[in-house]
Amino acid sequence: MRLSTIGVTASFSLLLTALPVVSSAEIFIYQEKDGTTWFTDHKALSDDFQFIRTYGRPTATKSCTGVTREILNNRAKPHMNWVEHYAQLYELDHRLVKSVIEVESCFDAYAVSRVGARGLMQLMPATAKELGVSEPFNARQNIRGGTSYLRKMMNRFDGDVKLALAAYNAGPGAVEKYKGIPPYKETQSYVKRILKKFRAYSPDSKISYLSN
């Protein structure tokens, strides 16, 4: 029987940043009698372990399966104040940030991708740490971190939204290497999907990149 586990005794908030990336991306939390906490991708340990909770969803893609516009809007409502707040703080259009979250996680605050990206704006553990996000499943922290990172990418690529979005998805190094959107099918589709949603939210926008 295969197990990907880590046993720890540190505080819970700190543990979340140290979770291993496991292949199923759904993390089960158990605790031994001595207080040692175990994070594993296996659904059941022995009777000596007390089940605490599941942390994360199978994948961000699955977070969108069967999600209607009504469900999406209901998911978004509790988070829109923070979306608007941090979009204003980092001088971004809140409709762009909303579009990024829709494509990244369909507003599932506990989404986990197949490569370990977490939360609403799908922050990788190293990126989250760099941005000061200690709890990636905390919606406010995640939105702040993701929005600030998108602003960094906007600055790095001179306000070019397409390149900033490509960098958000594939990393700024890949964008610089290819001097444009990398020739990755996933990244090219990612940029198009976000801009399509943004156009739908901004039909009267005069911003030049929306016309391409």
Side-chain angles (χ1 to χ4, degrees):
M1 177 173 68
R2 181 184 63 78
L3 283 175
S4 298
T5 58
I6 182 171
V8 286
T9 55
S11 70
F12 187 75
S13 62
L14 292 176
L15 290 172
L16 295 178
T17 64
L19 293 178
V21 176
V22 293
S23 60
S24 74
E26 189 169 21
I27 302 164
F28 301 93
I29 305 175
Y30 295 85
Q31 192 171 67
E32 290 188 80
K33 292 178 181 178
D34 65 3
T36 299
T37 303
W38 290 85
F39 297 83
T40 175
D41 62 346
H42 199 275
K43 206 171 232 183
L45 296 179
S46 73
D47 293 338
D48 295 329
F49 294 84
Q50 178 185 358
F51 173 73
I52 303 300
R53 65 166 293 179
T54 300
Y55 219 89
R57 302 285 192 267
T59 65
T61 300
K62 288 184 180 179
S63 295
C64 298
T65 302
V67 174
T68 64
R69 172 51 59 180
E70 182 180 4
I71 292 173
L72 192 61
N73 289 340
N74 286 336
R75 283 185 179 182
K77 278 181 184 178
H79 308 302
M80 285 308 300
N81 284 342
W82 294 124
V83 169
E84 293 171 5
H85 172 76
Y86 288 114
Q88 182 177 17
L89 180 65
Y90 294 109
E91 300 181 329
L92 293 169
D93 190 318
H94 73 275
R95 295 168 296 188
L96 178 63
V97 177
K98 182 180 181 182
S99 299
V100 169
I101 297 175
E102 282 194 19
V103 170
E104 288 285 0
S105 67
C106 283
F107 276 93
D108 181 353
Y110 295 102
V112 180
S113 79
R114 66 183 183 280
V115 295
R118 295 163 185 159
L120 290 169
M121 298 192 74
Q122 290 291 276
L123 302 178
M124 291 295 291
T127 303
K129 184 177 180 180
E130 175 188 332
L131 297 168
V133 176
S134 61
E135 297 185 35
F137 297 115
N138 177 292
R140 180 180 180 179
Q141 284 196 35
N142 195 285
I143 292 168
R144 178 191 59 75
T147 305
S148 68
Y149 187 72
L150 183 57
R151 166 42 61 190
K152 287 183 178 181
M153 295 302 100
M154 289 282 283
N155 292 345
R156 187 161 177 169
F157 295 102
D158 300 320
D160 188 314
V161 177
K162 288 183 178 180
L163 296 187
L165 291 173
Y168 193 99
N169 177 261
V175 175
E176 290 168 347
K177 175 182 178 180
Y178 290 103
K179 295 179 172 56
I181 300 175
Y184 310 149
K185 184 176 180 181
E186 177 182 343
T187 302
Q188 292 179 351
S189 173
Y190 175 87
V191 173
K192 289 178 181 177
R193 288 169 62 203
I194 290 176
L195 291 183
K196 182 178 180 180
K197 289 181 181 295
F198 190 20
R199 288 189 189 99
Y201 288 131
S202 317
D204 58 343
S205 177
K206 304 300 181 183
I207 302 175
S208 61
Y209 61 77
L210 290 178
S211 63
N212 296 328

